């Protein structure tokens, strides 16, 4: 009986391993020259205005999580936001309401706005010096409806003027003012032509100059907060001209509708994830050609639109598209990336009822990307044949070295990887040779490839590894494992410490199927980094 049982277990194990592949490869990181740069405060989270009646697909996921009724005094919320502050400031964007009436006349006039709905959220957030606040203005105020979705006429500036003036009088520091929400191109429910929009932005810039004339602080003007349309965005920059629009914001929901039954499959499809690269590339070209004085932000991105996917967007699997898109956006000089939302809907970083962080919070936003990935972006690629391996590299944040981000979208392939600085290793002319044959030649090259072998007076021969997997290998788990250990709040609501495992730099990196890893090389010799991130970090941390 025991022999039969042992034989069964062995055969079952054999079948399990036989359906999985091991692919060996080389990851190449070019530390000589940066390919892009993000802001120090790249990670941003939106706070929306949706009421608890906001429902999608017969489900109402917002509850009391919007600025209309959010309990800002909840201790878990405070702890979660503090976690995001740990390695810098958190950018917070409050979205404007596009459908004027169609309308939330929330910004009716400062004197008419209730203390709870305006004073508490704005004063609590904007007076915290660790928060960088972008506030959305209604760009439909005063316009009239021309057709079903097209709006025209001049924007009525009086409402915005009074609101901005009021925030100045109360001492609320708004880092930037965003004009409109999803009115670009064909718009979402409503649209405004680029020429008219540009003229109104010029008016808004004049208001900002006038109201902040006596202030040392000058806020940025951000627009249009909508989906990228090349013709519309190009025309907007032509109409406004130099110095008007400081930041071009665009929204990205590349996974489609939240109720799609194949949403999980879309998240793990490397071809679908890569399609979004054309948006970032085209926007980058628009800025270079028509508005080099401005920069690009993702003003809103939640993966799947209409509040995200129920039981998908708040689980482990959602983190694959999110982290991958952070990596892609960084490569195209996106300065800020705002996640929809900090709390609210199915895609919130925090649970709308308990305020306990969802997996995305732990993985990308605060406690790993925010802590490890610096502002300088490096070119990274691999020679593996599978498109399921995604590779991104940045100078490390707040210290020397380089941090590598690895994403494995495959449910079958294990990757065994070596890291190389930039000089390609010859494969003897055989273009189809497996990378495993390169390992010996790579190891012999290791001393010249990495700086930790004495070039900086350090004998450090270890790297830090942060491997992320779902509990019980269940992709829709809401519990994430860091190096096999569950990440959970303490009894006091404190964010757990994120501890790496140390590995010899001479050993391969092992990446499991459907997993994510941040790999920190403390003494990687990257000329492009040259201590810049450390200097910037110290300057902000110790002014």
């Amino acid at each position: 009986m025991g022999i039969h049982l042992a034989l069964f277990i062995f055969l079952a194990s054999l079948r399990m391993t036989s359906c999985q592949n091991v692919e060996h490869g080389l990851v190449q990181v070019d530390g000589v020259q940066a390919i892009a740069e993000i802001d120090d405060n790249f990670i941003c989270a939106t706070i929306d205005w949706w009421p608890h009646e906001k429902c999608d697909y017969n489900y109402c996921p917002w509850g009391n999580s919007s600025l209309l009724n959010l309990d800002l005094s909840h201790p878990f919320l405070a702890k979660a936001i503090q976690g995001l502050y740990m390695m810098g400031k958190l950018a917070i964007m409050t979205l404007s309401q596009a459908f004027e009436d169609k309308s939330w006349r929330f910004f009716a006039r400062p004197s008419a706005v209730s203390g709870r709905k305006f004073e508490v959220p704005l004063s609590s957030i904007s007076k915290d010096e660790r928060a960088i606040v972008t506030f959305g203005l209604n760009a439909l105020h005063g316009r009239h409806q021309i057709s079903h979705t097209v709006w025209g006429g001049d924007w009525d500036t009086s409402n915005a003027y009074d609101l901005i003036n009021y925030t100045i009088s109360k001492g609320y520091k708004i880092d930037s003012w965003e004009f409109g929400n999803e009115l670009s191109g064909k718009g979402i429910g409503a649209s405004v032509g680029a020429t008219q929009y540009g003229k109104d932005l010029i008016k808004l810039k004049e208001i900002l100059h006038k109201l902040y004339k006596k202030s040392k602080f000058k806020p940025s003007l951000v627009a249009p907060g909508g989906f990228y349309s090349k013709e519309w965005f190009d025309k907007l920059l032509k109409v406004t001209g130099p110095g008007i629009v400081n930041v071009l914001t665009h929204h990205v929901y590349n996974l489609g509708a939240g109720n799609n039954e194949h949403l999980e499959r879309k998240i793990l499809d490397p071809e679908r994830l890569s399609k979004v690269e054309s948006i970032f590339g085209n926007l980058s070209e628009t800025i270079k050609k028509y508005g080099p004085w401005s920069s690009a932000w993702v003003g809103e991105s939640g993966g799947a639109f209409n509040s995200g996917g129920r039981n998908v967007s708040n689980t482990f699997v959602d983190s694959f598209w999110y982290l991958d898109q952070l990596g892609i956006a960084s490569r195209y000089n996106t300065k800020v990336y705002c996640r929809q939302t900090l709390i609210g809907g199915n895609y919130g970083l925090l649970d709308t009822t308990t305020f306990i962080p969802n997996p995305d919070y732990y993985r990308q936003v605060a406690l790993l990307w925010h802590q490890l990935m610096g502002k300088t972006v490096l070119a990274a690629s691999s020679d593996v044949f599978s498109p399921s391996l995604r590779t991104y590299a940045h100078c490390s944040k707040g210290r020397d070295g380089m941090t590598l981000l690895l994403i494995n979208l495959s449910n079958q392939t294990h990757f065994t990887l070596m890291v190389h600085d930039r000089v390609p290793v010859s494969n003897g002319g055989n273009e189809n040779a497996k990378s495993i044959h390169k390992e010996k030649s790579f190891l012999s090259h290791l001393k010249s490839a990495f700086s930790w072998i004495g070039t900086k007076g350090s004998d450090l021969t270890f790297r830090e590894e942060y491997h992320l997997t779902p509990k019980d290998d269940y992709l829709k788990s809401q519990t994430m494992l860091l190096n096999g250990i569950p990440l959970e709040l303490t009894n006091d609501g404190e964010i757990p410490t994120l501890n790496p495992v140390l590995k010899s730099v001479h050993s391969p990196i092992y990446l499991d199927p459907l997993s994510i890893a941040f790999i920190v090389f403390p003494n990687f010799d990257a000329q492009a980094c040259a201590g810049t991130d450390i200097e910037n970090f110290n300057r902000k941390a110790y002014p």
Side-chain angles (χ1 to χ4, degrees):
M1 188 77 171
I3 294 176
H4 290 156
L5 178 60
L7 181 61
F8 173 80
I9 293 173
F10 172 76
L11 291 175
S13 175
L14 186 62
R15 284 195 297 271
M16 184 180 299
T17 55
S18 65
C19 69
Q20 292 186 337
N21 306 313
V22 177
E23 188 166 346
H24 298 260
L26 198 66
V27 174
Q28 181 175 310
V29 178
D30 186 350
V32 174
Q33 185 173 357
I35 61 171
E37 186 174 279
I38 62 176
D39 276 2
D40 289 313
N41 307 297
F42 175 69
I43 294 300
C44 166
T46 67
I47 302 178
D48 218 322
W49 300 93
W50 289 115
H52 57 81
E53 296 91 354
K54 157 71 171 170
C55 304
D56 299 288
Y57 319 120
N58 300 314
Y59 180 66
C60 309
W62 286 86
N64 294 323
S65 62
S66 81
L67 269 182
L68 292 170
N69 41 40
L70 181 62
D71 180 8
L72 289 165
S73 64
H74 195 289
F76 282 9
L77 178 62
K79 298 290 185 183
I81 294 177
Q82 287 171 12
L84 293 173
Y85 289 153
M86 286 195 300
M87 291 294 286
K89 297 182 179 181
L90 168 66
I92 296 177
M93 176 175 285
T94 63
L95 301 179
S96 64
Q97 175 59 39
F99 310 109
E100 173 86 18
D101 206 24
K102 289 225 181 146
S103 139
W104 289 59
R105 294 194 182 272
F106 184 77
F107 302 135
R109 289 209 181 255
S111 60
V113 177
S114 72
R116 172 60 191 161
K117 289 184 178 180
F118 183 76
E119 293 287 358
V120 175
L122 195 56
S123 62
S124 297
I125 296 172
S126 67
K127 286 193 174 181
D128 190 327
E129 293 184 357
R130 296 170 298 180
I132 300 174
V133 179
T134 296
F135 205 87
L137 296 170
N138 194 319
L140 284 182
H141 188 54
R143 301 191 199 277
H144 58 275
Q145 196 168 3
I146 297 175
S147 63
H148 181 60
T149 60
V150 179
W151 290 62
D154 292 336
W155 172 58
D156 185 342
T157 64
S158 61
N159 188 229
Y161 185 98
D162 288 344
L163 175 62
I164 296 169
N165 192 39
Y166 178 73
T167 63
I168 295 172
S169 70
K170 300 294 288 187
Y172 302 150
K173 185 177 179 180
I174 308 300
D175 182 75
S176 50
W177 293 94
E178 184 180 49
F179 186 62
N181 183 53
E182 298 185 345
L183 299 172
S184 58
K186 295 181 179 179
I188 301 298
S191 66
V192 176
T195 299
Q196 179 64 57
Y197 213 87
K199 292 178 180 178
D200 295 326
L201 278 168
I202 294 172
K203 292 180 183 177
L204 179 55
K205 192 72 170 185
E206 292 172 353
I207 290 173
L208 295 178
H209 280 311
K210 180 179 180 179
L211 294 179
Y212 286 91
K213 185 177 182 180
K214 297 181 180 179
S215 174
K216 293 181 180 179
F217 171 77
K218 308 296 181 184
S220 298
L221 178 54
V222 178
F227 292 93
Y228 176 72
S229 166
K230 178 173 171 40
E231 183 180 356
W232 197 97
F233 273 61
D234 288 356
K235 183 177 288 187
L236 181 73
L237 289 175
K238 290 177 185 178
V239 171
T240 53
I244 300 297
V245 180
N246 303 111
V247 175
L248 281 178
T249 45
H250 68 117
H251 295 181
V252 185
Y253 286 90
N254 60 313
L255 299 178
N259 68 337
N260 190 294
E261 61 181 5
H262 302 300
L263 184 57
E264 181 179 338
R265 187 187 306 170
K266 289 182 176 181
I267 291 172
L268 298 173
D269 181 357
E271 183 178 353
R272 185 176 189 90
L273 296 183
S274 293
K275 285 181 179 179
V276 76
E277 192 161 357
S278 63
I279 297 176
F280 290 101
N282 290 335
L283 178 58
S284 178
E285 288 302 314
T286 289
I287 290 175
K288 288 179 183 177
K289 188 172 183 179
Y290 300 108
W293 52 84
S294 61
S295 58
W297 289 9
V298 171
E300 182 184 333
S301 183
F305 59 76
N306 287 343
S307 299
R310 188 179 182 187
N311 300 322
V312 176
S313 294
N314 60 347
T315 67
F316 181 91
V317 70
D318 191 66
S319 298
F320 287 98
W321 78 264
Y322 180 37
L323 190 50
D324 188 67
Q325 199 165 111
L326 290 180
I328 292 174
S330 297
R331 286 178 171 175
Y332 287 91
N333 278 304
T334 301
K335 302 303 182 184
V336 174
Y337 188 106
C338 297
R339 169 62 182 257
Q340 171 81 345
T341 62
L342 176 64
I343 185 168
N346 296 304
Y347 41 35
L349 298 174
L350 308 177
D351 184 274
T352 57
T353 303
T354 65
F355 293 79
I356 292 175
N358 287 321
D360 276 352
Y361 171 93
Y362 282 124
R363 184 166 340 189
Q364 288 86 354
V365 176
L367 305 179
L368 284 177
W369 178 289
H370 196 52
Q371 289 185 13
L372 302 177
M373 303 292 272
K375 62 186 293 185
T376 304
V377 185
L378 306 174
S381 60
S382 71
D383 66 350
V384 301
F385 300 130
S386 172
S388 295
L389 178 65
R390 322 285 280 191
T391 59
Y392 302 99
H394 286 222
C395 297
S396 294
K397 190 168 188 176
R399 54 175 166 168
D400 282 332
M402 176 272 293
T403 298
L404 184 67
L405 168 60
L406 301 171
I407 304 171
N408 187 357
L409 300 171
S410 172
N411 63 355
Q412 293 186 342
T413 304
H414 296 257
F415 290 104
T416 300
L417 306 168
M418 298 299 289
V419 178
H420 188 280
D421 67 340
R422 69 184 174 95
V423 182
V425 179
S426 172
N427 61 13
N430 182 4
E431 294 181 359
N432 296 318
K434 292 280 187 179
S435 57
I436 186 173
H437 300 309
K438 300 178 183 179
E439 289 187 11
K440 285 187 178 180
S441 59
F442 171 72
L443 287 172
S444 64
H445 180 73
L446 190 65
K447 185 170 182 179
S448 61
F450 292 107
S451 67
W452 51 69
I453 311 297
T455 61
K456 291 189 178 180
S458 171
D459 294 325
L460 184 63
T461 58
F462 291 96
R463 63 174 182 259
E464 300 172 12
E465 296 192 0
Y466 302 79
H467 290 268
L468 303 157
T469 53
K471 184 178 181 181
D472 299 326
D473 295 323
Y474 179 50
L475 283 177
K476 293 184 181 180
S477 173
Q478 288 190 301
T479 301
M480 188 183 74
L481 307 182
L482 172 59
N483 298 322
I485 301 173
L487 287 175
E488 297 173 338
L489 295 182
T490 67
N491 292 334
D492 297 329
E494 297 287 347
I495 303 299
T497 302
L498 302 181
N499 295 315
V501 293
L502 300 181
K503 299 284 186 177
S504 169
V505 295
H506 302 285
S507 63
I509 298 169
Y510 298 101
L511 190 64
D512 289 336
L514 297 175
S515 70
I516 298 170
F518 288 87
I519 314 295
V520 180
F521 296 89
N523 277 18
F524 185 87
D525 190 9
Q527 298 175 28
C529 302
T532 302
D533 279 338
I534 299 175
E535 294 169 7
N536 289 340
F537 174 77
N538 289 335
R539 191 181 303 118
K540 291 179 178 294
Y542 309 104

